[in-house]
Amino acid sequence: MTSPHFPHTETPSAELHGVSLAYPKGDLVLKGLDWQLLPGQVVGLLGRNGAGKTTLLEALLGLREPQAGTVQLFGQDAQLLDDATRARIGYVPQHSDLFEGFTPAQLLAYFRSFYPRWNEAKVEGLLSRWDIARDKPIRKLSGGQKQRLSIIRALAHEPDLLVLDEPVASLDPAGRRDFLRELVGEVLDRGATVVFSTHILSDLERVAFNLAFMSEGRIALQAPLDDLLEQVRAFTGTVTEMATLMTRLNAQPLKRTPLEAGRERVLARLPAAATVPVGVAVDRVNLDDLFAELT
Amino acid sequence: MTHAPRYSQVLLAVWRQRDLSSPWGRRVIAALLVLSAVAGLIWLPREAAWRVPLVELIVVVLGLWMAVAANLLEQNHPTAARTVPGHARTLKRAALLGWALCTVLFTLLAWALMPATGLWPVLLLCSGFLSAFLLWTTRLVWLWLLTILVSPLSLAFGASLAPARRALAALWESHTYEVLLACLLFQAWLVVRAFADGGARHQARYATQALMRRSMQMQLEGKAPAMNAWAPFEPLTRPFVRILSAWLRHVLDRADNTRLRSVMARAEIVLHGQQHWLRYVLTIGVIAAAVVMLFTVVLTTTGVSLALVLKHGGVGMGIGIASAGLNPGFTTPNMLWQSRREQALLQLLPGMPQGRALNVALARLHWRDFIAGWLLTTLLLVALGVAIGNQLLLCLSLAALPIAALTLTRRPALMRAPTAMIMVAPSFLFLALAGLLYVLARDLGVPLWLNGLVTLAVSAPLLAWRWRRLAAAPTALPAGRLA
């Protein structure tokens, strides 16, 4: 997938190696985390409350300095980005960082002056479609409207890497649908890299082609959504049976849950086209199950 | 690509972000400046009259610079600094431009006031320093404390620092322009250092400052912020929180729904919120202790006598005491706006009075606090008056009565969202009326008792009329529902 702004390349948009990060007087939030985001990937970041998703996204953008490891954006150290690289990044934080004394029109004019490209037609279209008053002080907008404005600001300069931290948290179902349509219709067509955290799993099923599950300060698993739904199964049996089955299927156990009487439940990812033997107790899993088991 | 638009955007932001809901403050300040300039031209001798607008211009220049500097620092958001191309750099350059302009303008205006030959390098040095200092005070408010400490510190360390001062003076005499250039470069560096490029420390500091800004904005709008909103001072507020919790337990332990006093004591905790009488007493107590301590330190280190301070500063102290003791009372009813969501629930609680009974009970709460504050303030003013031999300070107590009759009898159901203007107008009126009574007594010989009689004669019927109107008004809570 290519775009005038973003020629196709296999150079990762973002790359984290061995990133460890702790808050002052706090425990480690990120523990030797490795992560790679490739051009054109749309990644949904999943994790329990307090798992460190926001910290990870902030570290990814250079807003937090890790105690160990490296973070690179478009091949540059995230702490030392040049202007050209900054212009390729869009960010919607979890909490509004809009200058609330401005009106939306003033805020957008303000940021327009800093970016070398700015899609005014898209901005105008979104302001109209999302019904945001141009000349009302931002502090008087509702939480949902502020969130939409924040999204418009992040999309306006057509970034190649879009980082969204719970972008739909304040939006009603209609607003979420509009936002996701925008994400699919505008951003994906340009081949941008998108990473967003959310708790609304149904939204992920609509747009996220890749899921990254965060647990214990690391990315526990990242894989395309369709593959996960197709290949991950929950098996139940004795410990011995499970060990034999995993070896026979060449499956990758993701989580083991001990049950009574020497039995266990194993969540495992099967190789493509693997066939489960007849008579084995196996369940398909959905996104809710994956979230509950892997985070 | 030209960068002019981004500089105009960051420099004009201060004007674009101004509070449009209460423009009157700015208009009043502008009118006062114009009026005093005109009055100076009319009444002052010609050789002094032209200095008034010049001094005012200096005040305007410095005030504008402070507003621009504070706004530039507010724009220095860590996320924008890291992710928006050229953002932090633009802010730094804009601040440098503002600092240079302010320095040059201040130097020229000061030079026009004191056109002594050879003085301009000193003026340039001082105005550059002042401009940089003002920028930093918008980031670190406590820097203002240094100005209070300069006098005692210079007395304490003056002798030991004298050789260094003499060496600097000699260096200045021998290499004036080189030293001036070095100092200006250092000041410019200080200006740039006020801005950060993102990062954890910047984020933490910005979050603290944002909290402080929000707290100050809330205060301007009559919303007293929670004590822990003053983030840097949060540990200092912990004893307060413990005392307030103890009071809450005390009130709840004695809860009795058959007694109006008990019901309203519990309701008051919600209705007066951050302006509850106990919070107010604790705050005033701490401020009074700090002032006494400061005075003790200054008087003992400088050797100035208390009598001399009282002689020259007695009236100012009186105004300070009256402002602290009476102004919060005028604004207590505005607190009802902050708890209007909880008021619907309060209305449903057993024992809560309804209709006229509620209106009266609520007004009594406001008046109880005001009268307690008024009595204490009057006592302090009498004591201060005796100490300085000027009982005219009681004009302040008298002037508070009609203002309270107006502000404490507003109908809560019809109240509107408090604005900065609504918050400060009673204080302005109060001080203006007190000033009028003071001038009548001092310059026109109107006896104080007559002033008091007239004030009471106006206040009593005003209060009686407003009280009847308030009692007959729609149920007070939830406040603002009929506005």
Side-chain angles (χ1 to χ4, degrees):
Chain A
M1 211 179 285
T2 62
S3 82
H5 309 303
F6 195 32
H8 182 73
T9 167
E10 285 308 314
T11 305
S13 303
E15 203 165 16
L16 293 85
H17 282 301
V19 172
S20 294
L21 193 150
Y23 286 104
K25 298 177 191 168
D27 294 332
L28 271 180
V29 183
L30 307 179
K31 300 171 185 169
L33 181 142
D34 296 312
W35 201 22
Q36 197 178 58
L37 299 170
L38 295 172
Q41 268 189 339
V42 181
V43 180
L45 179 63
L46 290 171
R48 299 278 170 109
N49 289 331
K53 299 186 295 295
T54 297
T55 306
L56 171 58
L57 295 181
E58 287 180 350
L60 173 78
L61 292 167
L63 295 168
R64 302 244 168 234
E65 293 148 49
Q67 281 85 35
T70 57
V71 183
Q72 292 210 314
L73 292 177
F74 301 108
Q76 287 184 15
D77 185 336
Q79 301 289 328
L80 304 165
L81 299 178
D82 62 23
D83 282 354
T85 305
R86 287 172 202 226
R88 297 173 69 183
I89 298 168
Y91 176 46
V92 177
Q94 191 174 13
H95 301 293
S96 167
D97 67 340
L98 304 168
F99 299 137
E100 301 211 337
F102 279 135
T103 64
Q106 289 169 339
L107 180 93
L108 292 165
Y110 180 93
F111 281 103
R112 184 177 56 208
S113 69
F114 287 95
Y115 285 98
R117 63 173 189 254
W118 188 268
N119 192 333
E120 193 62 38
K122 180 195 282 184
V123 168
E124 285 302 315
L126 287 175
L127 282 173
S128 299
R129 267 173 38 213
W130 288 354
D131 199 21
I132 296 173
R134 287 166 174 74
D135 298 316
K136 190 176 179 181
I138 292 171
R139 73 166 64 94
K140 293 190 176 171
L141 300 180
S142 69
Q145 284 176 318
K146 284 181 191 172
Q147 187 84 339
R148 288 171 190 225
L149 182 60
S150 201
I151 292 167
I152 293 173
R153 192 199 61 183
L155 293 174
H157 60 283
E158 300 186 326
D160 298 327
L161 170 63
L162 187 57
V163 179
L164 308 122
D165 192 0
E166 305 223 12
V168 292
S170 309
L171 300 185
D172 58 30
R176 294 210 316 269
R177 198 181 55 227
D178 283 350
F179 161 69
L180 296 171
R181 189 186 299 143
E182 193 58 39
L183 209 60
V184 173
E186 298 287 331
V187 182
L188 301 191
D189 288 351
R190 292 188 303 103
T193 308
V194 181
V195 54
F196 66 103
S197 64
T198 182
H199 283 122
I200 303 171
L201 301 179
S202 56
D203 290 343
L204 285 172
E205 285 177 306
R206 290 186 196 184
V207 293
F209 303 144
N210 280 269
L211 293 187
F213 293 89
M214 195 176 176
S215 175
E216 296 178 354
R218 293 191 184 91
I219 299 295
L221 174 70
Q222 179 170 338
L225 173 61
D226 292 342
D227 290 0
L228 284 174
L229 295 177
E230 189 59 38
Q231 297 169 0
V232 176
R233 294 286 183 275
F235 299 93
T236 311
T238 65
V239 173
T240 319
E241 284 170 355
M242 287 299 102
T244 311
L245 185 65
M246 292 300 116
T247 311
R248 184 174 156 196
L249 292 175
N250 195 24
Q252 175 195 1
L254 299 173
K255 189 178 181 188
R256 293 176 186 276
T257 311
L259 303 173
E260 71 284 358
R263 292 163 64 78
E264 67 175 353
R265 175 184 154 89
V266 178
L267 192 73
R269 187 175 177 191
L270 304 175
T275 310
V276 179
V278 179
V280 173
V282 60
D283 296 318
R284 294 186 78 91
V285 292
N286 58 27
L287 201 46
D288 288 339
D289 300 326
L290 283 172
F291 181 82
E293 298 276 1
L294 294 176
T295 63
Chain B
M1 178 184 167
T2 172
H3 289 163
R6 61 172 68 166
Y7 286 103
S8 67
Q9 287 289 340
V10 299
L11 287 168
L12 287 174
V14 64
W15 175 250
R16 290 176 178 157
Q17 292 182 309
R18 70 194 186 280
D19 186 1
L20 292 170
S21 63
S22 53
W24 285 101
R26 288 185 294 273
R27 290 174 192 170
V28 167
I29 291 171
L32 284 176
L33 286 172
V34 172
L35 280 176
S36 52
V38 172
L41 288 173
I42 295 172
W43 283 299
L44 286 176
R46 181 185 289 263
E47 59 274 16
W50 63 272
R51 291 177 192 268
V52 177
L54 274 187
V55 172
E56 286 184 354
L57 259 179
I58 288 177
V59 172
V60 168
V61 166
L62 294 180
L64 275 178
W65 165 236
M66 273 190 81
V68 170
N71 188 267
L72 289 174
L73 283 169
E74 191 177 345
Q75 291 176 53
N76 188 211
H77 194 290
T79 305
R82 272 290 151 90
T83 61
V84 178
H87 191 255
R89 192 173 56 245
T90 306
L91 291 176
K92 288 175 189 175
R93 289 179 182 171
L96 268 180
L97 178 69
W99 168 78
L101 261 176
C102 180
T103 301
V104 169
L105 280 174
F106 182 56
T107 305
L108 290 175
L109 290 168
W111 193 60
L113 276 174
M114 300 175 287
T117 318
L119 201 60
W120 72 266
V122 179
L123 284 177
L124 191 59
L125 179 71
C126 293
S127 56
F129 171 77
L130 181 67
S131 305
F133 176 77
L134 290 177
L135 169 82
W136 272 88
T137 56
T138 61
R139 184 177 141 173
L140 305 170
V141 182
W142 57 263
L143 281 177
W144 285 111
L145 286 176
L146 291 180
T147 57
I148 300 171
L149 296 175
V150 163
S151 172
L153 285 178
S154 60
L155 269 171
F157 301 105
S160 50
L161 290 175
R165 208 168 46 236
R166 277 196 296 275
L168 281 175
L171 185 66
W172 176 262
E173 287 298 325
S174 57
H175 299 88
T176 304
Y177 295 110
E178 291 86 342
V179 175
L180 177 64
L181 183 65
C183 289
L184 287 176
L185 286 174
F186 175 67
Q187 289 164 5
W189 177 79
L190 281 178
V191 169
V192 172
R193 284 286 297 167
F195 295 84
D197 294 318
R201 283 181 65 191
H202 185 195
Q203 285 206 37
R205 195 185 66 236
Y206 194 90
T208 305
Q209 287 172 336
L211 208 56
M212 293 280 282
R213 272 194 291 271
R214 201 158 47 242
S215 301
M216 285 192 268
Q217 182 65 31
M218 283 172 76
Q219 287 216 319
L220 272 177
E221 292 166 359
K223 306 170 192 168
M227 283 178 189
N228 57 11
W230 303 98
F233 310 110
E234 191 272 334
L236 299 176
T237 65
R238 285 176 198 159
F240 279 31
V241 173
R242 274 198 283 275
I243 294 171
L244 292 166
S245 303
W247 171 256
L248 181 64
R249 278 197 304 277
H250 167 81
V251 171
L252 295 182
D253 287 347
R254 284 154 186 75
D256 178 358
N257 287 347
T258 61
R259 287 173 54 235
L260 181 63
R261 192 174 165 190
S262 169
V263 172
M264 291 310 288
R266 280 172 283 155
E268 185 189 9
I269 290 169
V270 174
L271 296 174
H272 284 181
Q274 300 298 323
Q275 220 164 309
H276 187 274
W277 65 267
L278 183 55
R279 289 172 189 271
Y280 173 65
V281 167
L282 289 171
T283 309
I284 288 289
V286 169
I287 292 172
V291 169
V292 168
M293 215 161 66
L294 198 67
F295 262 86
T296 311
V297 169
V298 171
L299 294 182
T300 49
T301 51
T302 59
V304 176
S305 74
L306 180 61
L308 189 70
V309 173
L310 287 176
K311 185 183 168 192
H312 292 290
V315 174
M317 284 182 201
I319 292 172
I321 290 169
S323 299
L326 301 171
N327 279 340
F330 299 145
T331 56
T332 309
N334 292 320
M335 287 309 296
L336 296 178
W337 184 261
Q338 315 313 328
S339 59
R340 57 196 194 285
R341 287 189 184 86
E342 292 89 338
Q343 288 163 15
L345 180 63
L346 270 183
Q347 282 284 78
L348 299 174
L349 293 181
M352 193 72 185
Q354 307 288 327
R356 184 187 179 91
L358 176 64
N359 295 359
V360 172
L362 208 51
R364 279 188 180 146
L365 274 187
H366 302 330
W367 276 94
R368 182 205 62 195
D369 288 1
F370 172 75
I371 289 171
W374 188 85
L375 286 174
L376 188 65
T377 305
T378 305
L379 264 176
L380 287 171
L381 290 176
V382 168
L384 184 64
V386 170
I388 65 173
N390 180 3
Q391 285 303 339
L392 294 185
L393 288 178
L394 284 177
C395 291
L396 288 158
S397 290
L398 294 176
L401 296 175
I403 307 299
L406 276 172
T407 56
L408 301 187
T409 48
R410 288 164 59 200
R411 293 167 294 182
L414 298 164
M415 77 184 292
R416 294 189 175 187
T419 61
M421 190 60 192
I422 288 177
M423 291 303 292
V424 298
S427 303
F428 270 127
L429 275 177
F430 161 58
L431 289 175
L433 185 57
L436 179 69
L437 295 178
Y438 191 84
V439 168
L440 283 175
R442 193 191 63 179
D443 298 338
L444 302 178
V446 178
L448 191 59
W449 64 264
L450 187 58
N451 268 343
L453 202 64
V454 172
T455 312
L456 279 175
V458 171
S459 304
L462 181 65
L463 176 59
W465 166 62
R466 300 263 303 176
W467 191 272
R468 276 198 302 275
R469 181 167 160 268
L470 166 76
T475 300
L477 306 180
R481 70 184 189 282
L482 302 177

